[in-house]
Amino acid sequence: LTAGPTFEAIDPVRGITNLSSGKMGFAIARAATEAGAAVTLVAGPVALATPAGVTRIDVKSARQMHDAVLPLAASHDVFIATAAVADWRPADAAEHKIKKAPGQGAPALLLVENPDILAAVAVLPKRPYCVGFAAESHEVEQHARAKLVRKNVPLIVGNLGPATFGQDHNALLLVDAVGTRALPHADKLTLARQLVAEISSRLNA
Ligand code: C5P
């Protein structure tokens, strides 16, 4: 499982991140452990307690998250990519704090693309069952369905990012080749338990 945001350094005191709280991913880690799974949780920078029985690896950047996940992925049966991974990072993080100088204006920030962790896991020869998330601001189902094809994974879970980031509640839309199923508005642990049951029934199908 991946969870939380990533943090992409601009210099030692600044960076690019997003509003993901990690709560959905941590709830899934807890629900999967309760269901009997041995869970490895690769977490971006979040201030959340590790659910009992979960092995946690803390990372900051997308590249660190990628490097933590890839060697472990093939030895797991399921990969759930809950993390809101930053799409881009500053091309070169400055070694020292970038100083403000009068009359010099703002520094230009050159961004480069981060590795796509889910896509990288999905092309492994011995790939786990891959579940992606789609945090959208609108048209959740269409975007989730597009992601199913683009990322070549069997299940995408859509949700409204702005409505759920940081909240204790969410609503999920499970999109796969068979159809679409809504898990209506509920607290994240309830939804996580339902999602784990849905994944396990697909694994056993
Ligand atoms: O299309 P998008 O990249 O937003 O898809 C989101 C899904 O892909 C999520 O499951 C997210 O965790 C995963 N992802 C990833 N690595 C990235 C970007 C997204 O694993 N660099």
Side-chain angles (χ1 to χ4, degrees):
L1 253 152
T2 62
T6 64
F7 179 90
E8 313 298 331
I10 294 172
D11 68 18
V13 298
R14 306 184 181 93
I16 298 173
T17 187
N18 60 66
L19 292 172
S20 168
S21 65
K23 285 179 179 175
M24 193 68 234
F26 275 61
I28 297 168
R30 175 172 163 185
T33 309
E34 285 174 358
V39 175
T40 310
L41 174 62
V42 180
V46 294
L48 294 174
T50 311
V54 168
T55 303
R56 175 174 179 174
I57 301 171
D58 282 321
V59 297
K60 268 174 125 172
S61 69
R63 282 190 295 178
Q64 289 170 354
M65 189 173 273
H66 173 275
D67 293 351
V69 168
L70 263 288
L72 294 173
S75 62
H76 289 67
D77 298 316
V78 181
F79 175 55
I80 308 175
T82 325
V85 183
D87 291 310
W88 311 285
R89 67 174 183 275
D92 289 299
E95 191 186 341
H96 300 294
K97 184 182 173 190
I98 303 168
K99 301 304 284 181
K100 193 162 58 171
Q104 289 213 340
L109 210 52
L110 179 65
L111 301 178
V112 293
E113 215 171 312
N114 269 328
D116 189 314
I117 303 163
L118 178 58
V121 172
V123 296
L124 290 175
K126 236 186 114 241
R127 76 169 189 175
Y129 184 87
C130 290
V131 182
F133 265 69
E136 307 296 344
S137 60
H138 66 297
E139 290 178 346
V140 174
E141 182 167 2
Q142 291 90 316
H143 285 119
R145 198 154 285 291
K147 232 161 259 198
L148 194 68
V149 177
R150 183 156 46 82
K151 302 245 178 184
N152 183 33
V153 297
L155 180 61
I156 291 282
V157 181
N159 62 172
L160 280 171
T164 190
F165 277 2
Q167 304 296 313
D168 291 318
H169 288 71
N170 199 359
L172 303 180
L173 205 60
L174 276 53
V175 175
D176 66 9
V178 177
T180 300
R181 171 161 201 172
L183 301 183
H185 197 257
D187 67 275
K188 287 183 174 174
L189 185 56
T190 301
L191 289 168
R193 288 175 175 146
Q194 292 169 348
L195 176 61
V196 166
E198 291 278 346
I199 291 170
S200 117
S201 73
R202 282 166 173 78
L203 284 177
N204 295 321

